[in-house]
Structures are given as structure tokens and as C-alpha cells.
Amino acid sequence: MSGVEIIGLGHFAPSRVVPNSEIENRLGLQSGWIKRRTGIEARRYAADDEALSDLAVAAGDMALKRAGFRRDDVALLLLATSTPDHLLPPSAPLVAHRLRLASAGGIDMAGACAGFIYALTLADSFVRTHGQAVLVIAANILSRRINPAERASSVLFADAAGAVLLAPSERDDAGVIGAHLAAAGAHYDLIKIPGGGSRKPFGADFDPAEALMAMPDGQSVYTKAVAMMATAATTALGKARVDVSDVNHFIPHQANARLMATVAHQIGVRPDVMRSTVDQFGNSSAATIPFTMSMAAEKTPNARGDIILMTAAGAGLSGGGAVFRS
């Protein structure tokens, strides 16, 4: 077997619904302001007793149960997250343990909004090389990293998890058939959490506000993210030798509705193949693509041979695009 197929999808969002009105009232914004500019109507926030691993386990468990796959046969868990349970140890080993993946390795991947694209690409290579299944989970609890006084991040970010179980396939042409990964470190500081790392460690004089997200120039983030996502998607299509008209499912990072529509227009994707959850679930960074893939498949299942185009960009700047044949 030299191909790769998706045999299970899963998703999870916390039960607490946060409508726009709650944020608009806090920030003194006019009613309807957030919906007009972002396309977001509501988002989900984790409960006080929920940690990142709880969301990840729920999504991963759904993917495994839907696949009916033996958990002992999963060889690797890749967890794409920017909000682990702790700075140390990594959360993936805990998630693997709670999912009863007794034979699996586990590692966190901090790729911000592009984390799932990176994890999917590496997982596909592992499955092809070793002939064993890989569970990819992307999850974030961004509600605890939002600066409540900063409009740019407050109106967008949310909490969710999505999971994809990859396994060997007898079809050589199945799996990631084209990918392009990108980084633009010159724009490293456009989205950041200033404190808590080795550059500015915790200490007696640490300002708690520096442990929150900062995005002071939202317009620059928008412009550069659109360019990176469109270029990555187009390049991935070229590597796959697939025309954009052949795409059956377009699942961009759910940054906001306006950005997604702009990227779709620039690469020429038909509006009817766009898959989106941003209106009710907001932007959960790396989780948005697998979360949306899982939810969309409940209404529009992926048929054998379908072309799925994914693209993302986020903090770092890091980004990428991938073309997956079901």
C-alpha cells in the first residue's frame, strides 16, 4: 500500500456559546459591527474546567470511533496546538494515553494557524513510509489568550478541536498529492504572545498582560495572510497537477469570512465548493480546517477521488497549502 486515505474524522466545540453581542457590549461596538466585518455571529469558549487535552481527546475519540479502527494500530499522534495544557511537558503524550493509543508516539506541533497543514503533510509522509496509521488532531483554547481590551483578537478567536485519522490505502493516487509549506519570519511579530518564552521569561516583575495575544496591525496580518494562502494554494495545485476547477471541497483556514472569500476569489475557486464554519464557531487557529472538514462531511461526505484543497496562514508568519485526493 503506497497511498493514504482518511478513514475517520472528528470534531469538538465547547458548549458555551458566546454571541457577538457579549463582545460588542464589552468593547463598546455598535450592534452588528463584528458580523459585518468578519462574518462571525458566535463562537465557543471552553468551560473553566476544560483544558486543551479535553478538547483534543473528544475530537480524536470521535474520529477513531467513526473509523472503527483498532487503537493499538495507531502508530503516531500529531497534536497541532498553540495552547497546550502546560509549557512542559507536551500535551500529545497525555492525549495519546487518554485515547488508549498504547503503541503510538506523540508530539506537539506549534504551527499556529498553519499547524494542521504542516501536521497533515508530515503525517501523510509517515503513513507512506511506514505503512501505519497516524492520528492528526488540531486543537486550541484561544479564549484564554485573548486580550479582552484588544478588538482585533477579541472579535475573532475561539476554542475547538478537529481530528483526522490517516491510514494506508491500496490506491496509489490517494492522499496528499501536492503541498507547499511557507514561512516569512520577517513578519514574525505581527501576531504574538510577548511573554513566557525564553526571550521574556516569567519572573517577579512579569506583567500578566504579556501572556496574552497581541495583534496590533490587523490590516497587515490580513494582507499578508491572503497573499500567503493564495500563493500556497496555487503552488500546491500546480505540484498536484490539478486544475482549480477540479476542486470538490475548498477548506481554507477559517480566519474570517472576508479573508476566506478574498482567497477563494484570487485562486478562482467556485463558491459552491467552499466549506465554512466560521459564522457560528469563529477562528480556532489550527483547529479550523479539520473541524470544518469533519462538520462538512456530515452534510457533504467526501466521495472517493474527491479533491480537497486546504490552505492556511498565521503567526510566524507560517503557512501552507495542501491538495488531498480522497
Side-chain angles (χ1 to χ4, degrees), residues 3 14 24 115 125 134 147 242 282:
E24 288 169 341
S125 297
V134 178
N147 182 341
V242 170

Side-chain angles (χ1 to χ4, degrees), residues 156-213:
L156 296 175
F157 293 112
D159 308 338
V164 175
L165 180 60
L166 302 177
S169 171
E170 294 178 349
R171 295 177 294 119
D172 294 348
D173 62 346
V176 175
I177 57 174
H180 178 72
L181 304 178
H187 309 297
Y188 179 78
D189 285 337
L190 282 178
I191 308 172
K192 63 182 178 180
I193 295 174
S198 61
R199 181 68 64 186
K200 190 175 288 189
F202 295 114
D205 59 348
F206 186 82
D207 181 355
E210 293 188 325
L212 301 177
M213 191 181 309

Side-chain angles (χ1 to χ4, degrees), residues 14 26 43-46 50-52 55 80-84 112-113 138-148 150 153-161 191-193 211-215 253-255 281-288 315:
R26 187 183 76 231
R43 72 283 294 141
R44 301 292 183 94
Y45 282 2
E50 285 181 309
L52 183 281
L55 276 61
T81 185
S82 299
T83 58
C113 296
N140 278 297
I141 295 183
L142 294 172
S143 61
R144 294 175 192 160
R145 293 297 189 178
I146 292 170
N147 182 341
E150 183 187 76
S153 59
S154 290
V155 304
L156 296 175
F157 293 112
D159 308 338
I191 308 172
K192 63 182 178 180
I193 295 174
L212 301 177
M213 191 181 309
M215 189 167 61
H253 165 49
Q254 314 279 297
F281 295 95
N283 178 351
S284 53
S285 187
T288 66

Side-chain angles (χ1 to χ4, degrees), residues 77 79 89-99 104-108:
L77 167 66
L79 177 60
S91 298
L94 174 62
V95 173
H97 170 70
R98 292 180 59 189
L99 288 172
I107 189 169
D108 291 8

